[in-house]
């Protein structure tokens, strides 16, 4: 769904949208596990930069809520994640800040995004907010034992033989060589 400043005149646009799985692509290891709900509003914001220089910004405020499936960072098992992210974002027309060149980005400006000529794609904003809601490191449980680096077995489910004495195959070959040299 595209939003342009013209859509927001004279009234703001109220958002109450359900996205089915597949409507938004997140990341290879993040899947939507059911419909997600986006509520809020989009307003037009006039930014006065000079007597005849008005920039049409879009302010997007609201909330995205839904169920997601992530992968455990250690064993790659699926994990449920409930996203409930509130946002208040400002989007400027792309290119409007280009003439200012390399500016230092202050804390306040981190919430500034840009929309291109066709308008702001709501799905892009939703994707970003969902990704922001994710934990830094997703684990199926705090003490997840992960996958065996040797045989790939899930150590939460099976105790493979190599878990007792981890052995590097190159080191093993050297040991065999040393052994045969002695004989
Ligand atoms: Zn795990
Ligand atoms: Zn193993």
């Amino acid at each position: 769904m595209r939003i342009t400043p013209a859509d927001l005149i004279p009234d703001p646009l109220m958002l109450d949208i359900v996205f089915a799985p597949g409507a938004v692509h997140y990341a290879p290891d993040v899947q939507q596990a059911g419909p997600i709900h986006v509520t809020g509003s989009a307003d037009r914001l006039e930014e006065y930069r000079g007597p005849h220089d008005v920039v049409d910004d879009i302010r997007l405020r609201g909330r995205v809520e839904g169920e997601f499936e992530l992968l455990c960072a250690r064993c790659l098992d699926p994990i449920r994640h409930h996203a409930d992210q509130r946002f208040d974002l400002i989007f400027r027309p792309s290119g409007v800040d280009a003439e200012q060149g390399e500016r230092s980005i202050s804390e306040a400006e981190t919430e500034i995004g840009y929309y291109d000529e066709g308008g702001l794609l709501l799905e892009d904003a939703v994707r970003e907010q969902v990704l922001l809601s994710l934990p830094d490191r997703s684990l199926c449980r705090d003490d997840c034992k992960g996958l065996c680096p040797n045989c790939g077995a899930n150590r939460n489910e099976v105790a493979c033989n190599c878990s007792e004495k981890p052995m590097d195959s190159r080191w093993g070959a050297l040991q065999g060589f040393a052994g045969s040299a002695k004989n």
Side-chain angles (χ1 to χ4, degrees), residues 28 60 88 90 128 154:
L60 192 65
D88 186 349
I90 298 203
E128 198 177 316
N154 186 337

Side-chain angles (χ1 to χ4, degrees), residues 148 150-153 155 160-163:
C148 170
N150 275 344
C151 70
R155 285 170 164 171
C160 60
N161 290 331
C162 32
S163 65

Side-chain angles (χ1 to χ4, degrees), residues 159-177:
C160 60
N161 290 331
C162 32
S163 65
E164 288 302 313
K165 47 167 191 177
M167 194 171 77
D168 188 306
S169 55
R170 284 168 303 167
W171 178 233
L174 274 177
Q175 278 185 317
F177 179 74

Side-chain angles (χ1 to χ4, degrees), residues 72-77 139-141 144-146 156:
C72 172
R74 285 185 197 151
C75 73
L76 306 180
D77 265 4
L139 294 177
C140 61
R141 57 190 213 212
C144 171
K145 296 188 184 85
N156 299 315

Side-chain angles (χ1 to χ4, degrees), residues 1-3 15 17 19 38 60 120-126:
M1 177 186 176
R2 285 197 181 271
I3 302 170
L15 302 171
I17 300 170
F19 285 111
V38 178
L60 192 65
L120 168 66
L121 193 60
L122 184 61
E123 286 83 346
D124 285 346
V126 167

